[in-house]
Amino acid sequence: MAILSQSTASFSPSFVSTRTDLTRFPCRVTLRTRSPPRRLAASSRLNSSKSPDAGGSLSPDNGDVAYQLHHDFSPQRRRRGSPVFVTLPVNSVGREGRVARPKAMMFSLKALATAGVEGVVIEMWWGLVEKDKPRVYDWGGYKELVTMACKCGLKVRAVLAFHQHGTGPDDPNWIPLPLWVLDEIQKDLELAYCDRFGRRNIEYISLGCDILPVLRGRSPIQAYADFMRDFRDTFRTSLGVIITGVQIGMGPGGELRYPSFDTQKPNLAWSHELGEFQCYDKFMLASLNASARKIGKHEWGNGGPFGTGSLMQNFEHTDFFRNDGGSWNTPYGKFFLEWYSDMLLLHGERICKEAETIFRGTEVHISAKLAAIHWHYVTQSHPSELTAGYYNTSNRDGYLPIARMFSKYGFSMCCSCFEMQDAVMKKINPDGSPEGFLRQLLLAARLCDISLEGQNFSPNLDDGAFTQVLKMSKFYSDGIEKRPFSFNFVRMDKRLFESRNWNRFTHFVRQMSDGNIFRARLNSVGDIRLKTTPVAAEVGLLYHLYQHS
């Protein structure tokens, strides 16, 4: 397959409609009413230079064939298989608030639609939308991006990101918190998380001040709610039609956790890092002190645990985390860990409550993400989970309370590392178990009857990794009553469009969807036929566009 061939100069999918009246095309953001379900007829070719008439197979598992799909919008069809979404690049909307490289973006979206993905995940950054002044929002670039996705027949999952991304101003993907928020943090550093060494972390505002008016008269929870509300009002006509899901950021990396470890480390997946308790800003200390005084233990309220060791220390050499006789399993340890995890749970519940109220009646699925912290999973104390705020040990389930909270407010749950295998991990870190961690999380989701969104941690996926994703997705969704599962592939970049990677990815999409390959919504008001020539050359062109941009 000549992926790098330049024989085709432009991307070739064309829409041929039997009707000329396209005034009600649903990709228009100003659409006020939803069109009734309509049957579409799609005929498409993927990675093939041979027609079925010329001897090509019609099996949906064959990536070198074309076949027809009669598709409609009924829930029964939408539930077939497990849909795949693709997360767009972090800098899809630039710092100036407009779509970066719109031509390459449109080509990319068309390629994804041809591959059969359900839609795309778009991260919408607080630091870009409400950048300069409080309550002044600029959604322009994101509205353009949603429209582009719609024109390609793709659904959208929006991620409302209230955290910082990147390592600093020199990082091409650097997105800080809003400038006016950073001004407030500079005025009062106690708004930032702090560890026992006095190191401040400004990835996300400390949850200790969740309901205090520290942001120019508003609390952080009110600022997040106002942002969600403006998003809802801006995209109201697209919600439930084009934008089918909204993930609400709840902490660093968009995850419900404390910033206990450095997410920018390239080898975090293989880390032995213990993490640091983030309870030393004045707001967290005040809460801890009040909780200690309530039970008559004033001395327990002066700070976090002693004997937690250094970040990379062997946990067995610490007084707090070691398996035998560690103070994590003493009355003091249980008191502190319950308070620390309860504060995180309360933060999540505050945001869940606001989001459920704001998006009630919009027909979008709301979700939140948990961190996949698995590198001490087979130990008794699970130290890296404890410092992140998950009170999960050998004798306590720390994820079931979170799943119950999500279920209470109608949230789905998202988590990464679906591609990771214990057999590989054990060779590098015998204390880790990504599969064990995921099984516990998936069982909690099943017990609480909540939908699940899987995600990969590493962008470099081989056939074994994709097979592992399929295995773990079936662990959750198989059964008498099939549970809703979808997968977010992270993320679209030039590597995705390399020949070998593209073939692996498209095959994976077909496997996930149980052969229902062309799930893309063609979004028009009449019968449509989608005609494409072989897309191999276009995918190669996309790779070159990314390579030289």
Side-chain angles (χ1 to χ4, degrees), residues 236-257:
R236 185 181 294 275
T237 56
S238 300
L239 297 179
V241 184
I242 303 164
I243 300 174
T244 56
V246 180
Q247 185 180 118
I248 312 298
M250 294 189 176
E255 299 163 336
L256 179 62
R257 65 173 174 85

Side-chain angles (χ1 to χ4, degrees), residues 125-133 160-166 168 173-186 191-193 201-206 215 220 224 227 251-254:
W125 297 92
W126 189 28
L128 294 181
V129 175
E130 198 179 354
K131 180 179 179 180
D132 296 312
K133 296 179 180 179
L160 304 187
F162 298 109
H163 62 283
Q164 165 192 295
H165 186 277
N173 293 323
W174 169 245
I175 302 176
L177 298 181
L179 298 180
W180 60 272
V181 172
L182 293 178
D183 287 342
E184 297 306 310
I185 293 176
Q186 288 300 317
L191 302 184
Y193 282 110
N201 186 298
I202 58 172
E203 288 182 71
Y204 188 82
I205 299 173
S206 170
L215 298 179
Y224 305 149
F227 187 88

Side-chain angles (χ1 to χ4, degrees), residues 337-357:
L337 294 171
E338 285 178 1
W339 166 81
Y340 192 65
S341 60
D342 284 350
M343 287 289 285
L344 184 68
L345 199 64
L346 178 59
H347 173 71
E349 181 146 21
R350 285 167 172 160
I351 296 179
C352 283
K353 185 176 181 180
E354 294 286 350
E356 191 278 329
T357 301

Side-chain angles (χ1 to χ4, degrees), residues 193-209:
Y193 282 110
C194 184
D195 66 16
R196 59 188 166 132
F197 300 108
R199 295 175 297 197
R200 298 285 174 177
N201 186 298
I202 58 172
E203 288 182 71
Y204 188 82
I205 299 173
S206 170
L207 61 81
C209 57

Side-chain angles (χ1 to χ4, degrees), residues 222-331:
Q222 287 173 328
Y224 305 149
D226 287 344
F227 187 88
M228 288 187 273
R229 197 172 291 110
D230 200 76
F231 165 82
R232 179 202 63 191
D233 295 342
T234 299
F235 293 95
R236 185 181 294 275
T237 56
S238 300
L239 297 179
V241 184
I242 303 164
I243 300 174
T244 56
V246 180
Q247 185 180 118
I248 312 298
M250 294 189 176
E255 299 163 336
L256 179 62
R257 65 173 174 85
Y258 293 100
S260 54
F261 54 87
D262 186 358
T263 56
Q264 303 303 321
K265 288 186 177 179
N267 295 319
L268 183 63
W270 317 114
S271 175
H272 296 261
E273 189 169 319
L274 300 177
E276 289 286 351
F277 289 110
Q278 304 291 312
C279 60
Y280 290 87
D281 65 75
K282 70 179 183 182
F283 303 109
M284 293 292 286
L285 285 175
S287 173
L288 175 60
N289 190 264
S291 295
R293 282 188 281 110
K294 185 181 294 185
I295 62 170
K297 296 287 186 179
H298 297 262
E299 66 277 15
W300 289 0
N302 296 323
F306 292 103
T308 54
S310 61
L311 281 178
M312 300 304 293
Q313 187 174 348
N314 185 328
F315 75 97
E316 284 287 17
H317 298 161
T318 70
D319 292 333
F320 189 78
F321 294 122
R322 66 174 184 245
N323 281 330
D324 295 328
S327 55
W328 63 273
N329 204 26
T330 63

Side-chain angles (χ1 to χ4, degrees), residues 84 87 91 94 162 210 253 267 300 329 333 357 364 371 376 382 385 431-432 444 473 529 546:
V84 175
T87 304
N91 59 356
F162 298 109
D210 263 355
N267 295 319
W300 289 0
N329 204 26
T357 301
V364 297
H376 291 108
H382 298 223
E385 291 170 75
D431 293 328
S473 69
R529 288 181 297 126
Y546 280 96

Side-chain angles (χ1 to χ4, degrees), residues 418-421 460-470 508:
F418 269 71
E419 84 284 7
M420 299 184 70
Q421 304 169 54
N460 302 315
L461 301 190
D462 56 18
D463 291 331
F466 281 126
T467 300
Q468 181 69 11
V469 173
L470 289 164
F508 165 71

